[in-house]
Amino acid sequence: MSMHPLLLSPETISLLERVSVALLVGGLVLSYLVVYRLGDRPSPFQRLRTRFIVGIPWGTVLVVVGVYLVYHVVQGAGDPGGPNVVGFRSWSLWYPQGILFSWLSHASSAHLTGNLLATVVFGGIAEYAWSHYPTETGQQSFSSWRTNPYARVGLYVVGISAVGLAGSVFVPGAIIGFSGVVFALAGVAIVTRPLVTVGGILGLEGVDLVYSGFQNPVGFAEARPDFSVPYWADTALQGHLFGLVAGVLLGVALLRYRKRSPNIGHVWFAALVFTVSRSMWTLFWFLSDTEFVLFRGLGAASVVVLASIIAIATLPDPRPLVGERIEVPARRVGVVILVVLVVLVALAGVPYNLADVSSGDGVDGGIEIDGYTVTYAENVEDQYTSLDIPVVGDALSVDASGVIVTSDKRNVWSLETPRDELALNGFSVVVIGDSTWREVVIMNHTQWQLSGGNSTYKVYGQHWQEMDDQQLLFTAPLGEGQPTINGSRFGIVPSTEFYDIAVLGENGTRDRVQMPAHNESVDLAGVTFTRKNNRLIARHEQTELLFAEYRTERER
């Protein structure tokens, strides 16, 4: 818990948190009284009991609990270093553990929270449409396994698991997260309860706000430099599309089985609101590890067209697509297009997930642990993202710089921390392993920033358990200072021991001396260099200037 050091004491913060939570609870109670007491509306639990066992969507509850346990127990979110993310992505069909766990795993607590809250909302709507009890008139519960409420809960969970595993197998890319299943649940909800789904989309914001209010009733923030990428560049759009379309097809099948149909306008509106609010218009590609191109216009057109196709697929009758001359039913066209979308994703996904991914050039050496290699490299080709297409050639090739994790036997090639992020933070924590073991690797970045010039730096790696055993993984070229002092230009050069100060000549460095220790000085070319804590001061006669500043993770 952070605290403003000048204004608030821990006791004051604790009091504010308790008061905030109490007011939040009071606001929720007041809202319930206004809507369901003063408004003479029946309790929502009464209606839920007509569809759910004791009014609880048990299938959704079981799924939420299972996903939560995978993150905290299997991925080890509470262990040193946080959750293991690398070992739980769907890297390849040759890595079955990744395929099995990727759809249940998450990259962070925020990732987990967002998906679980969405599961509660859309999963509850989809499970309500499915129902624990028979919906047809005359059918009785427990008359057969199809009408058994407990069997129906089990089928609902099995269906969710099937969609999740299908996404891991057929969606291209190293997917991680439950969002593919969330989109499938939303797809079922959109076609079976479109207006309720729109309310759920709006309600999700409220649920998230209330949850955050209980989790962090009082928060503090301050302006500071940070490394970030566009939010749309960190989403698996292909997985979201696969899940949504699969869910819509399941929902349409349920409607056909029960001989029901929604209002096509309501379905179109719900589909459009969902796809826009969930940023499915963000069609993008990589220009580098930190640069992206967004096709906004194409994305906007695609969500409008997708909403229309989803609405057409739910038409209640076989009306023709265009007038009376074309006798092909419009709803069949809609369903076929959706099926083709799923098949196209799978046709791209299966070969991609079967491809052999090697470590590539430039990432040799590093910290090796049970088939994993953790290293640092710059301007190397991303072996997992780059595509080798004969016609296009290297146009889609992406270069990466930063902390890289590879594993040939698992088809892993992952840029875990981009170069600029590591330089800003000064360190990076990398967790590797699988469901049976884990190791933590700490990457440290040290840097001398020269006044008026560039910088030079080194990157070390070490096991978390062996903090005194650092391995030098990368040294940058020398940093050149801009000022000319006593007729000479100087720079800083990384060395095996630490860094050296060097006199720069036309063909590189001439003379060099080791960087002085704290509060000590060295002379070079008639200039005295004194290190005061993390500042390197250059002095000549009556002139003194800040030549360079040393930065590590401890000073950032």
Side-chain angles (χ1 to χ4, degrees):
M1 176 174 57
S2 60
M3 178 189 71
H4 195 295
L6 299 179
L7 299 179
L8 301 177
S9 66
E11 293 77 13
T12 302
I13 293 177
S14 179
L15 177 61
L16 284 175
E17 290 179 338
R18 291 197 297 270
V19 171
S20 299
V21 171
L23 290 174
L24 179 56
V25 172
L28 294 174
V29 172
L30 177 62
S31 298
Y32 176 81
L33 293 176
V34 169
V35 175
Y36 294 103
R37 294 296 184 183
L38 299 180
D40 295 326
R41 291 179 60 85
S43 171
F45 299 106
Q46 295 179 6
R47 186 173 183 84
L48 292 178
R49 290 192 188 98
T50 65
R51 290 289 185 116
F52 298 145
I53 301 171
V54 300
I56 298 175
W58 291 107
T60 301
V61 170
L62 290 173
V63 168
V64 167
V65 171
V67 173
Y68 182 88
L69 290 176
V70 167
Y71 180 72
H72 286 278
V73 177
V74 182
Q75 288 187 259
D79 294 335
N84 182 354
V85 177
V86 174
F88 290 89
R89 289 184 179 273
S90 58
W91 292 107
S92 168
L93 293 176
W94 307 117
Y95 181 47
Q97 180 174 274
I99 297 295
L100 180 63
F101 281 105
S102 62
W103 64 281
L104 292 167
S105 306
H106 288 83
S108 66
S109 59
H111 188 200
L112 173 74
T113 299
N115 277 339
L116 290 190
L117 292 179
T119 300
V120 171
V121 174
F122 300 120
I125 298 173
E127 191 169 359
Y128 185 90
W130 169 246
S131 182
H132 298 169
Y133 302 110
T135 57
E136 291 79 8
T137 303
Q139 285 190 336
Q140 300 295 323
S141 299
F142 300 102
S143 60
S144 69
W145 69 269
R146 293 188 183 88
T147 60
N148 186 303
Y150 301 102
R152 293 177 69 83
V153 171
L155 286 174
Y156 177 81
V157 175
V158 169
I160 286 178
S161 302
V163 171
L165 283 172
S168 296
V169 172
F170 295 116
V171 174
I175 304 298
I176 187 170
F178 200 63
S179 56
V181 176
V182 170
F183 275 68
L185 294 172
V188 174
I190 286 170
V191 299
T192 57
R193 293 289 187 276
L195 294 185
V196 176
T197 301
V198 173
I201 295 170
L202 298 175
L204 182 59
E205 298 295 325
V207 172
D208 182 56
L209 176 62
V210 170
Y211 177 83
S212 300
F214 280 113
Q215 285 290 103
N216 298 290
V218 177
F220 297 90
E222 60 181 353
R224 61 179 181 179
D226 194 13
F227 178 88
S228 63
V229 297
Y231 74 92
W232 42 263
D234 196 27
T235 58
L237 182 60
Q238 68 276 22
H240 295 174
L241 177 63
F242 181 90
L244 177 63
V245 174
V248 167
L249 291 173
L250 290 173
V252 169
L254 183 63
L255 291 174
R256 296 287 183 272
Y257 177 76
R258 294 179 178 173
K259 296 180 174 58
R260 296 179 181 178
S261 60
N263 182 294
I264 187 173
H266 294 170
V267 173
W268 176 87
F269 181 66
L272 184 64
V273 170
F274 179 80
T275 53
V276 171
S277 65
R278 307 305 281 188
S279 300
M280 293 192 68
W281 51 268
T282 54
L283 303 179
F284 72 95
W285 189 247
F286 304 89
L287 297 178
S288 69
D289 55 340
T290 57
E291 297 176 304
F292 313 89
V293 55
L294 173 65
F295 305 101
R296 191 187 304 272
L298 180 60
S302 67
V303 295
V304 174
V305 172
L306 181 60
S308 300
I309 295 172
I310 291 173
I312 291 173
T314 62
L315 280 170
D317 51 56
R319 66 187 67 175
L321 179 63
V322 181
E324 300 295 334
R325 296 182 180 181
I326 302 178
E327 298 182 356
V328 177
R331 70 181 185 186
R332 183 181 301 173
V333 173
V335 170
V336 168
I337 293 176
L338 294 178
V339 171
V340 169
L341 283 175
V342 171
V343 172
L344 287 176
V345 173
L347 288 177
V350 172
Y352 196 99
N353 294 338
L354 283 172
D356 183 24
V357 178
S358 64
S359 299
D361 298 329
V363 294
D364 297 332
I367 298 176
E368 298 186 4
I369 306 173
D370 196 12
Y372 283 100
T373 299
V374 183
T375 190
Y376 181 93
E378 295 189 355
N379 301 318
V380 296
E381 185 178 26
D382 187 326
Q383 298 295 311
Y384 196 85
T385 302
S386 299
L387 301 178
D388 184 13
I389 301 177
V391 177
V392 180
D394 294 333
L396 299 180
S397 177
V398 177
D399 286 343
S401 299
V403 179
I404 296 169
V405 178
T406 64
S407 176
D408 289 342
K409 72 177 183 179
R410 301 175 180 88
N411 271 18
V412 173
W413 203 105
S414 176
L415 176 64
E416 285 298 292
T417 309
R419 171 181 55 193
D420 294 341
E421 182 179 359
L422 181 66
L424 179 65
N425 296 330
F427 75 101
S428 174
V429 180
V430 180
V431 181
I432 57 175
D434 56 31
S435 60
T436 60
W437 66 276
R438 60 183 279 133
E439 291 282 351
V440 180
V441 176
I442 307 295
M443 307 294 286
N444 291 304
H445 181 281
T446 67
Q447 173 181 294
W448 278 101
Q449 181 67 48
L450 285 78
S451 298
N454 55 8
S455 63
T456 186
Y457 51 91
K458 296 195 292 186
V459 178
Y460 297 88
Q462 60 195 53
H463 289 128
W464 178 73
Q465 296 89 343
E466 303 172 2
M467 296 301 288
D468 295 332
D469 185 20
Q470 287 196 118
Q471 181 177 341
L472 180 60
L473 301 177
F474 184 86
T475 58
L478 67 88
E480 299 183 16
Q482 291 299 320
T484 299
I485 310 172
N486 192 27
S488 300
R489 293 183 60 238
F490 298 87
I492 297 179
V493 184
S495 64
T496 304
E497 296 298 327
F498 187 52
Y499 291 87
D500 292 343
I501 305 172
V503 181
L504 304 182
E506 294 182 359
N507 298 319
T509 62
R510 299 200 308 266
D511 297 326
R512 53 197 290 179
V513 295
Q514 187 174 355
M515 183 70 64
H518 289 288
N519 300 318
E520 294 187 4
S521 302
V522 294
D523 293 326
L524 182 64
V527 178
T528 300
F529 291 90
T530 303
R531 188 175 174 193
K532 297 181 178 179
N533 295 323
N534 291 328
R535 297 158 62 90
L536 184 64
I537 308 299
R539 182 184 299 108
H540 174 67
E541 295 181 350
Q542 301 301 315
T543 302
E544 180 178 293
L545 57 85
L546 174 63
F547 184 74
E549 188 170 6
Y550 184 61
R551 304 175 65 199
T552 69
E553 73 278 9
R554 296 179 181 85
E555 287 78 38
R556 295 170 192 269

